[in-house]
Amino acid sequence: MSDLRQRFFIENSPVRGEVVHLEDALQTILSQRTYAPAIQVLLGEMLSATALLASTLKIKGRISLQIQASGTLKWAMAECNHLGELRALADYEEDPHFNQAEDSSTVLSSLLSPVLFINIEPEFGERYQGIVPLDKPTLAKCLMQYYDLSAQIPTRIVLASSNQRSGGLLIQLLPRNNEEEQQLVDEDIWPRLTLLTETLKTEELTQLDAQEILYRLYNEEEVRLPEAEKLQFGCTCSRERCATALEQIGVESVRETLEVQNPINMDCQFCSTQYSFSAEEALALFGEHLS
Ligand SMILES: [Zn+2]
């Protein structure tokens, strides 16, 4: 069992779902910084959630969840792209609330005016940003409410994380046309699957593999499993992106920076890769030469 996303279909029904399990990727991400226990759990849940949500996208690009708040937690974000590459980061000040954690509710209830953004950034085409009210006790409940109301796709999500492993499960009732509606024989399927899904426990989600979880929950149903997809830690930083960032701050600021730091060193916050630009290289971005 490792870092995987398993899609599943309940045969002869408009219900599909995903199960994710993160282990190596989670541990890699959590080892990049020192995080308090509750922040580790929050990041684990956010990573599982982005991996689940990424599966619902039909585009090449990335999806991220970003919490912004004005208390001791400033922000936290997790991102997953169409290749199953994940990264995450959080910025916070010490807070006794963050020293103990069972799920994201400890952190969420301590935040001041928090907002959750869902960002979708296709490689080509327009970006999308959705705003999710963080007014429910857990991240999963906030996301479910968002999908039920905004996307109008009935969705159930369960998330769990420790500092070693995280997991998540999502089921959705897909939209149907009139004809499909009439062919739907089993009208109780959604309420039944919803109830079953809610019985899933934190330990099951973090410790069992996808097939075992699906068997425990839905063994009365006919579940079809396509091949699972691999998930891994991956960073989308690059020298080109750093160069673009330098171009955006402008030649004057770059000159000022060079007076105190030459070469200019830029560290990626996610993966610690360092990108270095000599004065010559930095000025060449603006078509200028060293004078
Ligand atoms: Zn990076």
Side-chain angles (χ1 to χ4, degrees):
M1 184 166 71
S2 64
D3 301 60
L4 289 175
R5 179 171 58 207
Q6 175 69 63
R7 178 163 290 196
F8 62 91
F9 298 93
I10 307 291
E11 289 288 31
N12 307 312
S13 91
V15 178
R16 47 137 275 172
E18 306 278 344
V19 184
V20 298
H21 181 85
L22 295 173
E23 204 161 326
D24 291 348
L26 179 74
Q27 289 170 21
T28 302
I29 291 166
L30 295 183
S31 69
Q32 288 157 350
R33 297 226 178 165
T34 309
Y35 291 117
I39 303 292
Q40 294 185 336
V41 169
L42 178 70
L43 285 176
E45 288 190 10
M46 289 175 76
L47 283 162
S48 289
T50 43
L52 290 173
L53 301 187
S55 71
T56 66
L57 294 179
K58 290 172 187 73
I59 48 133
K60 279 189 179 176
R62 48 192 177 156
I63 183 163
S64 63
L65 289 177
Q66 190 175 358
I67 292 175
Q68 283 185 6
S70 57
T72 41
L73 181 104
K74 309 294 173 205
W75 53 266
M77 71 87 76
E79 183 184 271
C80 183
N81 68 11
H82 65 277
L83 301 171
E85 292 173 330
L86 294 143
R87 60 181 194 167
L89 202 58
D91 187 24
Y92 69 100
E93 289 164 12
E94 291 305 317
D95 185 327
H97 287 108
F98 300 162
N99 291 334
Q100 284 180 350
E102 304 216 321
D103 58 37
S104 55
S105 58
T106 341
V107 183
L108 295 187
S109 61
S110 76
L111 301 182
L112 295 177
S113 42
V115 189
L116 174 66
F117 297 101
I118 297 184
N119 300 302
I120 298 171
E121 295 175 55
E123 272 181 9
F124 307 102
E126 266 183 54
R127 292 175 176 202
Y128 165 86
Q129 185 172 68
I131 297 178
V132 183
L134 277 175
D135 54 3
K136 301 266 174 227
T138 64
L139 181 64
K141 289 200 166 87
C142 296
L143 290 169
M144 280 190 266
Q145 174 176 257
Y146 172 80
Y147 271 84
D148 286 353
L149 296 177
S150 306
Q152 307 220 320
I153 302 172
T155 301
R156 288 293 164 269
I157 298 172
V158 194
L159 301 170
S161 184
S162 67
N163 58 5
Q164 297 290 314
R165 288 182 279 267
S166 78
L169 184 146
L170 168 148
I171 54 167
Q172 290 189 316
L173 181 64
L174 298 177
R176 306 168 300 286
N177 61 30
N178 280 344
E179 196 182 330
E180 287 166 335
E181 191 72 53
Q182 280 166 11
Q183 285 170 353
L184 185 62
V185 199
D186 184 357
E187 286 181 358
D188 292 331
I189 186 127
W190 182 248
R192 191 169 71 241
L193 292 179
T194 300
L195 278 178
L196 290 169
T197 305
E198 281 162 5
T199 64
L200 192 56
K201 296 187 186 70
T202 300
E203 312 82 73
E204 292 177 305
L205 204 43
T206 52
Q207 286 170 18
L208 302 178
D209 67 23
Q211 295 193 3
E212 179 68 26
I213 289 172
L214 294 172
Y215 179 76
R216 286 197 187 187
L217 289 180
Y218 313 128
N219 57 57
E220 306 268 309
E221 317 292 337
E222 203 180 322
V223 179
R224 180 162 61 86
L225 300 177
E227 203 179 330
E229 298 162 271
K230 280 208 165 72
L231 299 168
Q232 70 242 300
F233 166 71
C235 196
T236 46
C237 66
S238 67
R239 192 173 172 80
E240 289 69 37
R241 284 192 177 204
C242 290
T244 308
L246 288 177
E247 284 167 17
Q248 280 166 355
I249 64 167
V251 69
E252 285 313 314
S253 303
V254 167
R255 279 185 188 284
E256 280 167 27
T257 309
L258 282 169
E259 280 170 24
V260 289
Q261 191 193 96
N262 184 2
I264 297 177
N265 292 321
M266 301 168 80
D267 294 332
C268 174
Q269 300 286 302
F270 290 95
C271 69
S272 308
T273 302
Q274 193 179 68
Y275 298 94
S276 189
F277 291 82
S278 67
E280 205 166 8
E281 289 167 329
L283 292 173
L285 297 171
F286 302 94
E288 296 197 7
H289 302 285
L290 275 180
S291 46

